[in-house]
Amino acid sequence: MSIRRETPPPPVILVVDDDAAVRRTLRRMLEREKLRVETASSCAEALTMATAASFDLIITDLHMPGGTGLDLIREVRVRFPFTRVVLVSGQAQTADAAAAIGHGVDGLLVKPFSSGELLCCVTRALAARQSRLQSMRGTR
């Protein structure tokens, strides 16, 4: 008799960007790595989706109409503390980077970036999430 081990489901990532072409590109890059990807075009849509479903990681643009990526990060940290966040920007300023770090982002990517840079950032963020979940299980 063999023991059948279930493989865990792939991480679920939410990509948030007001530019449809960027959302499509990021989706393709991540799906090539066998990750599940959902997309949202605004902070409000992202929060609605995150309330309805669990995401392991959110990748968000910094500058969007109707709310910034920093606004989204603040809400995610409060409402979904185990969800990791990577911030993407076409024009990251030092103040933006400092604010993002202050809110606990797991990475900051400046456009244009390579798929290798994206995957490295995503891998680190997902590893941080797994480590935090394991440490929480160990304290019970």
Side-chain angles (χ1 to χ4, degrees), residues 33-107:
E33 300 302 315
K34 308 295 185 226
L35 299 166
R36 289 182 26 213
V37 181
E38 298 291 330
T39 63
S41 61
S42 69
C43 293
E45 182 182 8
L47 286 172
T48 298
M49 292 174 72
T51 300
S54 178
F55 293 97
D56 300 297
L57 172 65
I58 295 175
I59 300 173
T60 183
D61 189 22
L62 176 58
H63 299 288
M64 294 179 286
T68 69
L70 292 176
D71 296 331
L72 179 59
I73 291 166
R74 278 190 283 274
E75 282 296 313
V76 167
R77 285 288 163 252
V78 171
R79 295 167 59 180
F80 316 105
F82 291 103
T83 300
R84 308 315 303 165
V85 181
V86 169
L87 186 65
V88 174
S89 179
Q91 51 205 30
Q93 311 266 321
T94 304
D96 295 331
I101 290 167
H103 288 13
V105 297
D106 294 281

Side-chain angles (χ1 to χ4, degrees), residues 7-47:
T7 57
V12 183
I13 298 173
L14 177 60
V15 172
V16 186
D17 199 300
D18 59 313
D19 185 327
V22 171
R23 289 193 309 271
R24 278 191 306 274
T25 300
L26 290 175
R27 176 190 285 269
R28 269 188 250 123
M29 292 167 111
L30 296 166
E31 286 178 341
R32 268 190 242 131
E33 300 302 315
K34 308 295 185 226
L35 299 166
R36 289 182 26 213
V37 181
E38 298 291 330
T39 63
S41 61
S42 69
C43 293
E45 182 182 8
L47 286 172

